[in-house]
Amino acid sequence: MIAAIDARLEGIAILDYGSQYTQLIARRVREAGVYAALYAWDTPAETVLALEPKGVILSGGPNSVYGEGSPTLPTWVLQSGLPVLGICYGMQLLTHALGGKVAHADKHEYGTATFQHDSTCRLFANLPDDIQVLMSHGDRIEMPPSGFVPVGYTENSPYAAIGDDKRRIYGVQFHPEVVHTPRGKDILANFVHTICGCESNWTMLNFVEQAIQDVQAQVGDGQVVLGLSGGVDSMVAATLLHRAIGDQLTCIFVNTGLMRSYEPESVAQTVQQVIGARLVAIDASERFLDKLQGVTDPEHKRKIIGEIFVRIFEEEAAKIENARFLAQGTIYPDVIESAAKERPHARVIKTHHNVGGLPQDMTLELVEPLRYLFKDEVRRLGLTLGLPEEQVWRQPFPGPGLAIRCLGEITFERLESLRHADLIFRDALQAAGLNRSVSQAYAALLPVKSVGVMGDQRTYAETIVLRAVVTEDFMTADWARLPYDLLAEVSRRIVNEVLGVNRVVYDISAKPPATIEWE
């Protein structure tokens, strides 16, 4: 659950039914300048209502309202008299609970559709008559509940939107929160402003103030150790935590041997000279590489790395009096993809070492101040906190480091080749002025050998894949259309300069179906 809201601010409560898009709803509401708090659907009423929300949004989810054990609509939602917006599964729940009919659709709708609406409905005020929306459902509304009228339809959904203006309850079958529904932001803004009556008073400065209070309340006079991975998220987390608790924070940077070129030096300089926090630097390269020897399964890699990280932190924490907390730069896409325990109805995509890869017998309590932010929000937070732009806009780097970009067996030699190739790619993007145009870019080393020819000699060497994506929220992404000349130059340099590589390919997969990282 997101932290409790300051009583002076107006907010919207979002009940999570397990959709991969749930946090996008909170994001869109925040973009409208309104605080959004996310709760599991079965959170006790008193916990949610302590927010004093001005409206409730029910998320989508993977279940059917008729399925055994499917999540239900808490009775307090309708009893509260608050405005309610149901999205996809949330709409079907409202219909089912209020006596309407939900049935399995003969023709499923997955993908974009043209949605036509009743322009007199406040939910769709100031929108064109026809808009593009993203549909993703197998069930549909066959009969709205009493008091509801149809306010929108698509070719396959006669009740793609329904509403009861008197009770201020609405349902939409599509997903207004995703970028594939271009005017979805306006629909959500209409709900929170026009229907719920919220004002725009939520900013990143508000988040900073609230996060500082939350950290101080959780930590008290305890000492906190923060694991720095070298990426943007952990640096921003370190800055925020240092602002909140000062010398109670000790940043621990572990050189795993899985870092990018020049990463250890850069991290140390930023923490000591920019953030001003206490830093303990540990070279544990041999420890990590020894444990990873012979391991090729990506999930196994992540769990090994998570285990060693925590053990090192525990060892260092034992040297610090009253150290009881482990802080991390976990952000929400990590939580979603790991389907963490607080979201039991979500589906696991992959385990992130700082969410699902931690050992169960860990003795330190977690502090994760960025847990409900997206990458671009983390960057805005970093700038708000005064971090230099070059630090905030550096290419994202995963917690497990190059271990998940070095596919197959991890060896020192393969890591060195990967480091060199990755540096060539990133330097080329920087020189071309494209570093901020792509959301994430890196090189990965594939355990795939192919025949080549160099200097009239036959070679049989491995393959580097270049990956560059553009995305708004890292939940979905498209491959970056980089200039051919840049790709050609990067390929030429890698093949000529990197040992053990004779072929370079470019990944043109979107997310989904692929993920941004290869492992």
Side-chain angles (χ1 to χ4, degrees):
M1 185 192 77
I2 289 180
I5 190 172
D6 187 306
R8 295 167 297 175
L9 298 173
E10 298 169 337
I12 298 293
I14 302 170
L15 300 192
D16 180 12
Y17 284 92
S19 169
Q20 294 295 316
Y21 303 132
T22 298
Q23 178 61 14
L24 290 180
I25 305 171
R27 171 195 172 89
R28 300 300 179 222
V29 172
R30 291 200 295 262
E31 287 175 351
V34 177
Y35 185 90
L38 181 66
Y39 302 89
W41 68 271
D42 54 356
T43 299
E46 58 269 22
T47 301
V48 183
L49 294 176
L51 173 73
E52 297 185 8
K54 298 200 71 174
V56 179
I57 298 178
L58 311 177
S59 84
N63 298 281
S64 168
V65 293
Y66 297 116
E68 184 178 352
S70 291
T72 58
L73 181 68
T75 56
W76 67 262
V77 172
L78 297 175
Q79 292 173 352
S80 69
L82 293 168
V84 181
L85 173 63
I87 295 174
C88 198
Y89 183 77
M91 175 192 190
Q92 295 163 14
L93 272 181
L94 285 171
T95 301
H96 183 59
L98 290 168
K101 182 180 179 182
V102 180
H104 189 68
D106 293 333
K107 184 181 291 186
H108 296 183
E109 276 191 298
Y110 296 107
T112 57
T114 299
F115 172 76
Q116 296 179 290
H117 63 85
D118 179 351
S119 59
T120 65
C121 177
R122 291 186 295 169
L123 195 62
F124 308 116
N126 302 314
L127 293 180
D129 292 339
D130 298 345
I131 62 173
Q132 177 181 294
V133 298
L134 178 73
M135 289 287 195
S136 181
H137 65 97
D139 291 350
R140 71 175 190 175
I141 308 304
E142 292 289 335
M143 183 181 70
S146 176
F148 283 76
V149 296
V151 290
Y153 64 92
T154 67
E155 182 179 356
N156 293 318
S157 292
Y159 301 109
I162 58 176
D164 182 337
D165 280 329
K166 185 176 181 180
R167 286 187 286 180
R168 298 182 298 172
I169 302 177
Y170 303 86
V172 293
Q173 187 62 75
F174 57 88
H175 287 274
E177 69 272 28
V178 300
V179 295
H180 306 291
T181 304
R183 300 303 296 268
K185 294 180 181 180
D186 300 308
I187 294 171
L188 289 170
N190 282 338
F191 178 71
V192 301
H193 292 308
T194 305
I195 296 171
C196 297
C198 295
E199 297 181 2
S200 297
N201 56 10
W202 176 251
T203 66
M204 194 54 72
L205 283 174
N206 294 129
F207 177 85
V208 171
E209 294 171 2
Q210 188 64 54
I212 287 174
Q213 293 176 27
D214 294 339
V215 169
Q216 292 171 340
Q218 180 182 3
V219 170
D221 61 356
Q223 293 288 319
V224 179
V225 291
L226 168 68
L228 288 171
S229 69
V232 177
D233 306 329
S234 62
M235 284 299 190
V236 173
T239 308
L240 179 61
L241 286 163
H242 189 251
R243 181 80 59 88
I245 58 176
D247 290 341
Q248 289 174 251
L249 172 68
T250 299
C251 296
I252 299 179
F253 174 67
V254 180
N255 184 353
T256 63
L258 306 168
M259 311 303 296
R260 293 176 291 200
S261 295
Y262 309 117
E263 198 85 58
E265 298 85 354
S266 174
V267 169
Q269 182 180 27
T270 301
V271 173
Q272 294 175 324
Q273 298 182 14
V274 178
I275 301 175
R278 182 187 299 116
L279 175 68
V280 175
I282 300 167
D283 187 350
S285 303
E286 291 187 11
R287 184 170 174 179
F288 278 88
L289 294 182
D290 285 347
K291 286 287 187 181
L292 290 167
Q293 186 175 0
V295 178
T296 59
D297 178 73
E299 284 294 288
H300 194 191
K301 287 180 184 178
R302 289 174 180 273
K303 291 185 182 297
I304 288 173
I305 292 167
E307 170 83 24
I308 299 174
F309 261 118
V310 171
R311 297 314 173 207
I312 291 174
F313 294 145
E314 289 178 339
E315 292 164 11
E316 293 304 315
K319 304 174 186 177
I320 302 172
E321 186 177 356
N322 200 28
R324 304 196 308 269
F325 301 91
L326 167 63
Q328 298 189 125
T330 306
I331 64 174
Y332 202 77
D334 302 336
V335 177
I336 293 173
E337 291 193 336
S338 293
K341 289 180 181 178
E342 67 187 58
R343 305 182 73 248
H345 302 286
R347 303 292 190 255
V348 173
I349 298 171
K350 61 184 177 183
T351 298
H352 289 259
H353 89 277
N354 54 348
V355 180
L358 298 175
Q360 293 185 356
D361 62 345
M362 184 178 72
T363 59
L364 299 173
E365 180 181 336
L366 281 177
V367 178
E368 297 176 313
L370 313 182
R371 189 177 178 85
Y372 294 99
L373 296 183
F374 283 88
K375 182 72 72 176
D376 67 311
E377 294 176 310
V378 172
R379 287 195 168 111
R380 290 207 307 273
L381 175 60
L383 294 174
T384 301
L385 292 169
L387 277 175
E389 284 203 15
E390 60 269 23
Q391 182 67 51
V392 171
W393 284 98
R394 71 192 306 177
Q395 284 296 324
F397 193 56
L402 297 181
I404 59 172
R405 295 178 179 175
C406 185
L407 282 69
E409 185 175 4
I410 297 173
T411 66
F412 177 77
E413 292 75 20
R414 295 188 78 223
L415 286 171
E416 285 292 281
S417 295
L418 177 53
R419 262 187 279 269
H420 193 176
D422 184 70
L423 182 61
I424 289 172
F425 188 30
R426 288 187 292 116
D427 281 352
L429 289 171
Q430 184 71 36
L434 296 173
N435 198 47
R436 288 175 63 166
S437 299
V438 296
S439 305
Q440 187 160 340
Y442 65 90
L445 180 61
L446 307 183
V448 176
K449 289 188 174 183
S450 62
V451 174
V453 57
M454 293 181 181
D456 295 327
Q457 296 293 319
R458 178 187 185 274
T459 62
Y460 191 55
E462 291 189 316
T463 302
I464 284 287
V465 59
L466 304 178
R467 178 75 158 146
V469 300
V470 289
T471 177
E472 182 177 320
D473 48 45
F474 284 80
M475 294 305 303
T476 61
D478 196 9
W479 60 280
R481 273 62 170 176
L482 296 180
Y484 289 162
D485 289 347
L486 181 145
L487 292 172
E489 175 63 14
V490 170
S491 176
R492 184 192 65 79
R493 285 195 58 194
I494 289 175
V495 171
N496 285 335
E497 300 176 27
V498 178
L499 295 176
V501 172
N502 69 354
R503 190 177 298 271
V504 177
V505 299
Y506 188 51
D507 183 350
I508 60 170
S509 306
K511 175 187 179 180
T515 54
I516 294 174
E517 296 287 350
W518 271 58
E519 288 191 341

